[in-house]
Amino acid sequence: MTAQSCPRQHCATTMDSAALEPSLYTVKAVFILDNDGNRLLSKYYDPDLYPSMKEQKNFEKNVFNKTHKADNEIAFLEGMTIVYKSSIDLFFYVVGSAQENELMLMAVLNCLFESLSQMLRKNVEKRTLLDNMDGVFLVVDEIIDGGVILESDPQQVIEKVNYKAEDSPLSEQSVAQVLQSAKDQIKWSILK
């Protein structure tokens, strides 16, 4: 029987080639866990991967149990390629499909870690991360959008995040500028 005469073989061949076609949607999930395996941040980009919160947390628990004592940077679990890095009391994970290029996933992970390191002034630990969660989400959103890698240069990410923070009416810089302006106005009115 040839592939053309057997519908089952033809479907299998079509499915295999579809699974190997290149795609922009390279990242399935990103998450950050503390040293106890508790979720601090997670973004799942594939709604079919783990649709419920319970499934996501079980997956994260399995990943953490497999990786938290290992010295490796890459793991294969549940048909996923997982790259990871730890820092003090945090674990950073980037998840892709089994066929995904590990170097691409590692570039995303390194960009995430280096961007956060610059944003948090080299103080990448749980407390500082939690205090700056809005900035952490901005960093993740600048690197990945819907599973598509947008940026892998930490310097570019930080520039974009700082630009957005400056546009925010509640950013520290804006408050400082308002206070300085108010002080200048008070000094000016006293001098008159």
Side-chain angles (χ1 to χ4, degrees):
M1 254 186 184
T2 66
Q4 291 176 340
S5 65
C6 178
R8 201 176 245 173
Q9 269 187 327
H10 178 68
C11 288
T13 305
T14 305
M15 286 174 43
D16 288 344
S17 65
L20 297 176
E21 284 186 30
S23 171
L24 291 176
Y25 299 95
T26 56
V27 178
K28 300 290 184 188
V30 171
F31 50 93
I32 301 173
L33 306 177
D34 67 9
N35 58 351
D36 296 322
N38 298 317
R39 174 193 284 189
L40 301 177
L41 173 143
S42 73
K43 289 195 97 171
Y44 285 79
Y45 300 104
D46 185 350
D48 299 327
L49 184 59
Y50 298 104
S52 73
M53 179 77 74
K54 184 178 179 181
E55 290 174 310
Q56 291 175 6
K57 288 198 172 201
N58 283 339
F59 174 68
E60 292 165 12
K61 181 181 175 190
N62 290 342
V63 169
F64 180 76
N65 288 337
K66 182 172 181 169
T67 61
H68 79 282
K69 291 183 181 178
D71 289 333
N72 304 327
E73 295 179 334
I74 187 167
F76 298 96
L77 184 68
E78 298 182 23
M80 297 286 128
T81 302
I82 304 158
V83 293
Y84 60 97
K85 177 181 277 202
S86 65
S87 171
I88 304 174
D89 56 355
L90 298 173
F91 289 84
F92 299 84
Y93 297 92
V94 176
V95 180
S97 67
Q99 298 83 21
E100 198 53 61
N101 184 333
E102 297 89 358
L103 294 176
M104 290 293 290
L105 297 175
M106 190 57 79
V108 170
L109 178 65
N110 287 334
C111 182
L112 173 64
F113 184 81
E114 291 302 320
S115 298
L116 292 177
S117 182
Q118 287 180 34
M119 185 183 83
L120 302 174
R121 295 180 175 89
K122 306 281 185 211
N123 193 17
V124 185
E125 60 182 9
K126 182 179 177 179
R127 179 110 173 136
T128 313
L129 186 91
L130 290 173
D131 289 342
N132 295 284
M133 211 51 157
D134 54 344
V136 174
F137 276 105
L138 282 173
V139 165
V140 171
D141 289 343
E142 285 299 328
I143 298 171
I144 307 160
D145 184 24
V148 177
I149 301 170
L150 299 177
E151 187 62 67
S152 61
D153 180 6
Q155 203 60 40
Q156 293 293 318
V157 171
I158 289 299
E159 285 178 21
K160 291 176 185 175
V161 169
N162 283 339
Y163 177 74
K164 287 184 178 182
E166 289 170 8
D167 286 347
S168 169
L170 300 176
S171 71
E172 289 180 32
Q173 186 175 10
S174 297
V175 172
Q177 289 173 343
V178 169
L179 290 175
Q180 184 61 44
S181 177
K183 285 180 186 178
D184 291 343
Q185 288 177 355
I186 291 170
K187 285 180 187 176
W188 182 254
S189 64
I190 292 174
L191 292 174
K192 283 185 175 181

